[in-house]
Amino acid sequence: HMTPFLHLANKLAEKGHRVTFLLPKKAQKQLEHLNLFPDSIVFHPLTIFPVDGLPAGAETASDIPVSLVRFLSIAMDLSRDQVEAAVRALRPDLILFDIAHWVPDMAKEHGVKTMMYNVISANCTAHDLVPGGELGVPPPGYPSSKVLYREQDAHALSSFSTYYKRFYNRVTTGLMNCDFISIRTCQEIEGKFCDYIERQYQKKVLLTGPMLPEPEKSKPLEDQWSHWLSGFGQGSVVFCALGSQITLEKDQFQELCLGMELTGLPFLVAVTPPKGAKTIQEALPEGFEDRVKSRGVVWGEWVQQPLILAHSSVGCFVSHCGFGSMWESLMSDCQIVLLPYLNDQVLNTRLMTEELEVSVEVKREETGWFSKENLSCAIMSVMEKDSEVGNRVRRSHANLKEVVVSAGLLTGYTDKFVDTLEKLVNDTNLE
Ligand SMILES: O=c1ccn([C@@H]2O[C@H](COP(=O)(O)OP(=O)(O)O[C@H]3O[C@H](CO)[C@@H](O)[C@H](O)[C@H]3O)[C@@H](O)[C@H]2O)c(=O)[nH]1
């Protein structure tokens, strides 16, 4: 979540604004290299106090499983005094926040305006986070008959539901109390969902575009991967990554590996070791490494996803459809196969697969389990030459990519966003 905030800070700094970025100490180290304007963007570390239930040293959501995020929220709330002290000292024109729902109340006491910056999709906010809604049921007037949950999503929703109630209250409180809402999306992809949110909250909604880093500014792809990928034909490799929050059960991890093997295609899987395992190696299916060693790698560490997607040998991306990965998949030329876990990922998947028709979704059973056959089948349906589905999604994806990467679309969003923001902040009537 913090990465798009920092990309947005870079845009503000580029246009002459000063930004103070409040974040936990450990996250500062992870984000520092993305700060393109260190003279204008100053990191302000927050101390994360220990909370019962929160593992020692955990400071961000990527340090813990989703089931423990509620303890992190408690720790975040305990940082309120530190945030308030910073506001008192710095007297900012505007505070951008997301799940710290108490920020608007606190800011009002100091006469400071606030903007809730939503880095998850507009479709998920529209479906799950409008007042009067109920989890799993589209709210009245919801603008899509396709971007919905289905029976086989019960698993994704139930694993989240206890935590979700509290999360729901936080986000809707933040959305209701802030002065303005902004969303990391664009009209071309999620226009009708943004308009719906604006109507429901009766508040100005500003769009920033997807807030992706500019590719030429990132480091080149590590040699080990560029070398390995170059050993395969154009568009032949399947790349699979499931973001920063998904840790698979061991049996599902093994099924994923076997599904990749079953495709007969070269593959690179980058996921964290499954539950109960310290390393990937100890969890692999028996004999797997020997069988796939010339064409398949399962890697337990972070890889440079955007650069891997841009490599000419990579032809298919199997993704959890986290919102960042969704944009990266759209910007790539890869065929897209979706394997969502959390609720927003499920809705993003329906948007991509059913509304935009640029991807396919792996079939799951009601328990949430997906079989190696279904995984392999979904991949082959887009990778086999002359596959009707494959050709259809390739065409729609190419058309949409053209819109999204068209000259000026992304910079147009940030320019307009910063312009409007300047006007709104200076407007004492809060239009
Ligand atoms: O090995 C890896 C794995 C991921 N990434 C990058 O990490 C980011 C991941 O972002 P995203 O796709 O949004 O995934 P998560 O961090 O897993 O997603 C969390 O945050 C998203 C909002 O950004 C929500 O949509 C998801 O549900 C929530 O799990 C992307 O830029 C990837 O390129 C890498 O570079 N290397």
Side-chain angles (χ1 to χ4, degrees):
H1 279 219
M2 279 183 266
T3 313
F5 270 82
L6 186 52
H7 293 323
L8 182 59
N10 281 326
K11 295 292 169 198
L12 290 164
E14 192 180 82
K15 293 184 184 294
H17 296 282
R18 283 185 62 78
V19 180
T20 303
F21 202 102
L22 279 65
L23 78 181
K25 283 199 185 93
K26 204 158 98 189
Q28 177 170 343
K29 287 201 193 77
Q30 293 163 332
L31 288 183
E32 243 155 16
H33 69 287
L34 297 172
N35 181 354
L36 305 179
F37 298 90
D39 291 338
S40 309
I41 303 174
V42 177
F43 288 115
H44 180 109
L46 297 174
T47 302
I48 303 300
F49 293 118
V51 163
D52 275 351
L54 186 66
E59 294 194 346
T60 70
S62 49
D63 295 332
I64 48 172
V66 175
S67 56
L68 298 185
V69 170
R70 63 183 187 281
F71 300 116
L72 192 61
S73 307
I74 299 171
M76 185 180 68
D77 294 345
L78 293 175
S79 73
R80 182 173 170 153
D81 288 349
Q82 298 174 63
V83 176
E84 187 157 10
V87 171
R88 203 176 289 123
L90 295 160
R91 308 205 56 73
D93 294 318
L94 178 75
I95 306 177
L96 286 110
F97 70 100
D98 66 351
I99 44 183
H101 61 299
W102 36 263
V103 164
D105 276 349
M106 186 260 283
K108 266 179 207 133
E109 286 170 25
H110 296 273
V112 180
K113 292 173 189 170
T114 53
M115 169 177 269
M116 163 122 182
Y117 184 36
N118 241 319
V119 299
I120 59 161
S121 56
N123 73 70
C124 177
T125 305
H127 189 291
D128 286 358
L129 298 166
V130 299
E134 193 188 322
L135 187 60
V137 182
Y142 176 73
S144 173
S145 58
K146 294 176 180 164
V147 183
L148 298 170
Y149 297 113
R150 305 272 151 71
E151 267 168 35
Q152 73 271 26
D153 306 322
H155 158 84
L157 294 173
S158 69
S159 62
F160 209 48
S161 62
T162 337
Y163 158 66
Y164 201 84
K165 268 220 168 80
R166 266 183 234 147
F167 178 76
Y168 172 91
N169 287 332
R170 281 176 173 272
V171 180
T172 50
T173 304
L175 285 163
M176 280 189 284
N177 294 350
C178 67
D179 294 306
F180 325 109
I181 298 172
S182 58
I183 311 179
R184 172 200 180 190
T185 193
C186 64
Q187 194 73 22
E188 290 74 2
I189 305 284
E190 294 204 282
K192 61 184 180 185
F193 300 101
C194 300
D195 297 343
Y196 178 71
I197 295 167
E198 192 159 76
R199 286 199 302 277
Q200 294 299 313
Y201 280 100
Q202 299 181 359
K203 208 165 275 192
K204 191 146 192 86
V205 171
L206 271 66
L207 308 186
T208 64
M211 272 304 140
L212 300 170
E214 285 157 43
E216 70 271 18
K217 292 196 175 124
S218 38
K219 293 186 210 144
L221 181 57
E222 286 173 23
D223 280 350
Q224 65 161 329
W225 298 123
S226 66
H227 182 254
W228 185 79
L229 289 168
S230 300
F232 302 100
Q234 176 149 12
S236 63
V237 179
V238 181
F239 169 58
C240 169
L242 303 176
S244 61
Q245 290 194 296
I246 311 296
T247 302
L248 298 172
E249 297 291 340
K250 186 172 168 194
D251 54 357
Q252 190 65 98
F253 165 80
Q254 294 193 333
E255 197 77 2
L256 172 76
C257 296
L258 295 171
M260 289 289 172
E261 179 182 356
L262 205 56
T263 63
L265 296 171
F267 61 85
L268 167 60
V269 176
V271 292
T272 48
K275 289 183 189 157
K278 285 210 175 64
T279 65
I280 289 284
Q281 263 62 36
E282 72 181 75
L284 289 172
E286 223 181 304
F288 176 81
E289 270 182 298
D290 284 341
R291 295 195 300 274
V292 303
K293 67 171 173 255
S294 57
R295 67 171 170 100
V297 175
V298 183
W299 188 250
E301 282 161 46
W302 196 254
V303 293
Q304 296 156 291
Q305 179 170 300
L307 298 181
I308 288 184
L309 291 176
H311 195 285
S312 60
S313 298
V314 177
C316 178
F317 180 28
V318 179
S319 165
H320 67 314
C321 211
F323 203 39
S325 297
M326 181 185 120
W327 285 105
E328 288 164 18
S329 67
L330 279 173
M331 305 280 187
S332 80
D333 293 320
C334 297
Q335 294 284 59
I336 308 166
V337 173
L338 298 173
L339 195 51
Y341 277 84
L342 303 181
N343 62 325
D344 74 313
Q345 301 164 6
V346 168
L347 293 175
N348 295 342
T349 294
R350 303 286 143 74
L351 174 76
M352 293 279 280
T353 306
E354 299 183 28
E355 194 112 0
L356 304 171
E357 299 184 13
V358 295
S359 55
V360 295
E361 179 177 351
V362 178
K363 273 207 185 90
R364 287 180 191 263
E365 291 165 20
E366 269 177 44
T367 54
W369 173 262
F370 65 84
S371 65
K372 55 184 183 296
E373 289 82 9
N374 282 349
L375 173 61
S376 152
C377 203
I379 295 172
M380 294 321 287
S381 77
V382 293
M383 288 298 274
E384 256 164 6
K385 255 192 165 176
D386 306 324
S387 144
E388 201 188 313
V389 180
N391 288 335
R392 184 157 40 81
V393 294
R394 193 186 296 282
R395 262 195 316 274
S396 323
H397 181 181
N399 290 338
L400 200 60
K401 181 186 167 187
E402 215 170 292
V403 175
V404 178
V405 301
S406 64
L409 186 127
L410 299 186
T411 47
Y413 269 100
T414 42
D415 287 350
K416 192 170 163 209
F417 175 81
V418 179
D419 272 5
T420 318
L421 203 57
E422 285 166 354
K423 285 191 195 110
L424 288 171
V425 167
N426 293 326
D427 177 5
T428 45
N429 297 321
L430 286 188
E431 281 177 1

